Amino acid sequence: MATLEKFSDIWARACERKGGPAIVNSLLPDTLSAEDISEYSDAQLLSVISKRVFQSGFVWRVVDNKWPAYEKAFFDFEPMKVLMLSPDQIQQRASDPTLIRHQKKTQAIVDNAYMIQKINAEHGSFAEFIANWPTDDITGLWQVLKKRGARLGGNTGPYFLRAIGKDTFLLSQDVQAYLTARKVVDAGFTSKTALRQTQAAFNHWQQESGKSLAEISRVISLGVGDNRV
């Protein structure tokens, strides 16, 4: 792996592009403590997971507008109630014009309810399972969500984590472009090798700067490419 750029230089470039430290700081994402994340209910987490699944590859505003109808159709996303839906009832919802007609994403709501229940049975609490996962191996949590959940690969799992305040970086187009140009990774971003290399780089910058993974990710994106932040 190439020698990493100093985070102070990454920060300076973002400040130059965006108009100074105050503006950059105003654009940084917030994260929650493990204690706060552990307070989420299963229903809240399933709702956020499901929304991120539907937003993937779709217009986010449309999904936001339809979400109250999803809350009603899926019993406020209470996992036990969702798991009681029959195949015919799931199909009806996948065909409902007040929702989004997408069979596989609709089925993912049920599959991810099952994932939550399984992790609850194994670890006592899905929320605490996420809350207590170490951020220096956040890509390991990505892999758990991808393997055990439905349609949570790519950036969908990380976007879910970011939405609930779990500290994570994102492999946005700008961040990927930076890591590739600087030769931080030497494999495709879907590979375990690239994830390991990326995690090591972010861990290094976190130790150097004291900033969260989410903040570091945003600063990188602010300093390169055609970011829209």
Side-chain angles (χ1 to χ4, degrees):
M1 187 170 66
T3 301
L4 293 177
E5 183 180 22
K6 292 182 180 179
F7 184 77
S8 58
D9 293 335
I10 298 173
W11 172 263
R13 184 167 54 250
C15 291
E16 182 178 358
R17 290 194 76 200
K18 290 300 177 182
I23 294 176
V24 171
N25 277 318
S26 73
L27 297 172
L28 299 183
D30 295 324
T31 57
L32 296 180
S33 68
E35 182 179 2
D36 287 337
I37 293 172
S38 68
E39 293 297 319
Y40 281 114
S41 68
D42 290 340
Q44 288 174 314
L45 294 174
L46 181 58
S47 179
V48 178
I49 287 174
S50 301
K51 181 181 278 192
R52 291 299 173 267
V53 167
F54 274 93
Q55 287 177 329
S56 179
F58 206 77
V59 179
W60 285 32
R61 174 174 39 80
V62 173
V63 178
D64 287 340
N65 290 340
K66 286 182 176 289
W67 212 246
Y70 272 94
E71 297 279 358
K72 182 177 180 180
F74 287 92
F75 315 109
D76 293 324
F77 289 97
E78 290 290 344
M80 286 298 295
K81 294 181 180 179
V82 170
L83 290 171
M84 293 177 68
L85 288 168
S86 69
D88 285 345
Q89 290 173 317
I90 297 168
Q91 181 59 50
Q92 289 170 1
R93 284 158 174 77
S95 305
D96 188 336
T98 67
L99 305 177
I100 295 170
R101 297 176 182 178
H102 197 298
Q103 177 67 41
K104 291 182 178 179
K105 290 188 176 186
T106 302
Q107 180 62 45
I109 296 174
V110 180
D111 294 340
N112 287 322
Y114 180 73
M115 172 191 68
I116 289 173
Q117 293 297 85
K118 287 288 290 183
I119 291 178
N120 279 340
E122 295 167 5
H123 299 278
S125 165
F126 182 56
E128 290 184 5
F129 176 76
I130 292 172
N132 295 324
W133 192 281
T135 56
D136 63 1
D137 181 35
I138 199 63
T139 57
L141 183 53
W142 294 6
Q143 293 300 299
V144 170
L145 293 172
K146 177 182 178 180
K147 181 178 180 180
R148 302 197 60 175
R151 305 183 74 88
L152 293 178
N155 269 330
T156 306
Y159 270 116
F160 154 65
L161 296 174
R162 178 68 67 85
I164 64 169
K166 179 69 176 179
D167 188 20
T168 184
F169 54 85
L170 296 175
L171 289 177
S172 65
Q173 289 185 350
D174 288 329
V175 171
Q176 288 189 38
Y178 171 86
L179 296 173
T180 300
R182 294 281 174 168
K183 302 186 186 307
V184 175
V185 299
D186 54 17
F189 282 97
T190 58
S191 71
K192 291 183 180 180
T193 296
L195 292 179
R196 183 172 61 252
Q197 292 171 334
T198 302
Q199 181 78 68
F202 273 85
N203 289 347
H204 174 86
W205 287 320
Q206 186 173 49
Q207 291 172 5
E208 179 186 347
S209 67
K211 293 187 176 298
S212 69
L213 300 178
E215 290 173 327
I216 294 166
S217 178
R218 179 65 58 81
V219 172
I220 290 173
S221 71
L222 292 173
V224 300
D226 297 323
N227 65 78
R228 297 289 184 266
V229 179

